[in-house]
């Protein structure tokens, strides 16, 4: 090959090489852009999924710290407010079987619900209280959600099958979806109130399923193996206790049993005058 033909050939090869490198670089850049877009899309998708999960759970609202005076039953608690006032509080969106109703017998799983709440919130303990909207029911009781160690007591009672979702009235429906999902699981597991067929209904607890329940509870620091003092709530809602020597002791059906008169008085009962 002579010198004149060699130079054009070299230039041709160099030109083709340069074009090839340009094309290769462009492809690599496009690939990098596509990878970046794909990663960004996946990241956005994951964030969206997490956002959906987070949005399904309501955030806890404003709370205040209160002191437990005593637990009345599974869903009703007496507290001391930060300002020193005393309030009776009904746990929102749930209903536990009765233990102290003036016109109803002690209902199955009522004592268990009451004991569970008492164990969670013993007298003198501190709890977080999240008031509902409007705050009170027709009986003048405050409506609220209670928290112990960050756990909502209303939810825990449902998880154990010791309560049903009930008294659902707007605008106090903030945690309704969560509570209903917890109830469905308890129903599926047939635990607590759901272990008795057709006992817990949308209208309440079927009293025909109720049985005589021996309630042997003590309050305060006293304890004994065989409490003798009977605590009864009459038709007017008055809490009266009867000692074995009392005139009406034998015919009295107890809602609570106490070891000492002091225990009964601490629980809000007064002595029978007969």
């Amino acid at each position: 090959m002579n010198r004149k033909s060699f130079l054009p050939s070299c230039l041709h090869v160099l030109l083709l090489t340069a074009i090839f490198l340009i094309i290769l670089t462009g492809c690599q850049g496009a690939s990098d852009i596509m990878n970046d877009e794909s990663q960004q899309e996946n990241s956005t998708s994951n964030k969206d999924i997490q956002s959906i999960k987070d949005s399904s759970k309501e955030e806890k609202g404003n709370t205040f710290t209160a002191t437990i005076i005593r637990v009345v039953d599974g869903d009703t608690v007496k507290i001391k407010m930060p300002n020193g006032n005393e309030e009776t509080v009904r746990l929102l969106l749930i209903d536990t079987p009765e233990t102290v109703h003036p016109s109803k017998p002690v209902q199955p799983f009522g004592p268990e619900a009451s004991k569970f709440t008492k164990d969670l919130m013993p007298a003198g303990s501190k709890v977080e209280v999240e008031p509902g909207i409007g705050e009170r029911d027709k009986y003048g009781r405050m409506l609220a959600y209670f928290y112990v160690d960050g756990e909502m007591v209303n939810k825990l009672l449902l998880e154990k099958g010791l309560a049903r979702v009930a008294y659902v009235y707007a605008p106090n429906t903030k945690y309704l979806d969560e509570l209903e999902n917890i109830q469905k699981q308890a129903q599926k597991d047939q635990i607590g109130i759901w272990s008795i067929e057709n006992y817990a209904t949308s209208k309440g607890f079927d009293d025909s399923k109720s049985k005589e329940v021996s309630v042997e509870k003590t309050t305060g620091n006293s304890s004994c193996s065989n409490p003798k003092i009977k605590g009864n709530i009459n038709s007017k809602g008055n809490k009266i206790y009867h000692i074995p020597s009392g005139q009406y002791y034998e015919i009295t059906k107890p809602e609570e049993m106490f070891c000492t008169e002091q225990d009964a008085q601490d629980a809000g009962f007064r002595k029978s005058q007969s």
Side-chain angles (χ1 to χ4, degrees), residues 16-250:
L16 290 176
T17 302
I19 293 172
F20 175 76
L21 290 173
I22 291 171
I23 294 172
L24 182 61
T25 302
C27 290
Q28 182 63 41
S31 177
D32 291 341
I33 292 171
M34 291 178 66
N35 287 335
D36 289 342
E37 290 178 348
S38 177
Q39 290 175 3
Q40 184 176 1
E41 183 178 346
N42 288 336
S43 176
T44 302
S45 178
N46 290 335
K47 287 179 180 178
D48 289 343
I49 292 171
Q50 186 61 43
S51 177
I52 291 170
K53 288 181 179 179
D54 291 342
S55 66
S56 67
K57 187 174 182 179
E58 293 281 357
E59 292 185 2
K60 183 166 65 175
N62 294 327
T63 65
F64 62 85
T65 301
T67 303
I68 297 296
I69 297 175
R70 71 183 184 92
V71 171
V72 179
D73 65 4
D75 54 29
T76 308
V77 183
K78 193 167 185 178
I79 64 172
K80 179 178 287 188
M81 302 284 285
N83 62 6
N85 292 340
E86 296 184 359
E87 291 279 0
T88 300
V89 187
R90 186 68 160 73
L91 274 64
L92 266 168
L93 296 180
I94 66 166
D95 180 35
T96 62
E98 298 291 348
T99 60
V100 295
H101 196 284
S103 62
K104 292 183 178 181
V106 174
Q107 296 175 325
F109 291 101
E112 289 86 346
S114 182
K115 182 179 185 303
F116 182 80
T117 303
K118 286 182 178 181
D119 289 344
L120 273 178
M121 302 186 292
S125 63
K126 303 289 186 181
V127 296
E128 281 187 272
V129 181
E130 180 184 352
I133 301 172
E135 294 192 2
R136 298 181 185 277
D137 66 6
K138 62 182 180 181
Y139 301 109
R141 297 177 298 188
M142 179 182 289
L143 301 172
Y145 308 96
F146 277 43
Y147 297 87
V148 175
D149 296 330
E151 296 286 337
M152 187 194 289
V153 176
N154 312 52
K155 292 181 182 180
L156 295 175
L157 282 161
L158 289 169
E159 286 178 357
K160 298 294 183 180
L162 298 175
R164 67 186 184 96
V165 174
Y167 304 115
V168 180
Y169 302 110
N172 284 310
T173 58
K174 179 177 179 181
Y175 300 104
L176 182 59
D177 290 343
E178 290 178 65
L179 297 179
E180 286 184 333
N181 287 335
I182 293 171
Q183 175 173 276
K184 287 176 183 177
Q185 186 60 51
Q187 289 174 310
K188 181 179 178 181
D189 296 338
Q190 296 185 339
I191 58 175
I193 60 176
W194 308 110
S195 65
I196 303 175
E197 187 176 4
N198 299 324
Y199 171 49
T201 72
S202 60
K203 296 181 179 180
F205 298 97
D206 186 352
D207 281 337
S208 69
K209 304 281 183 180
S210 297
K211 57 185 177 181
E212 292 295 326
V213 179
S214 175
V215 182
E216 295 186 356
K217 297 181 287 183
T218 60
T219 60
N221 295 321
S222 300
S223 64
C224 60
S225 59
N226 187 26
K228 296 291 187 180
I229 297 174
K230 295 180 178 180
N232 177 264
I233 303 176
N234 65 22
S235 59
K236 295 180 179 179
N238 297 320
K239 293 185 173 183
I240 302 171
Y241 71 85
H242 301 262
I243 60 176
S245 59
Q247 180 180 353
Y248 301 112
Y249 182 82
E250 294 300 329

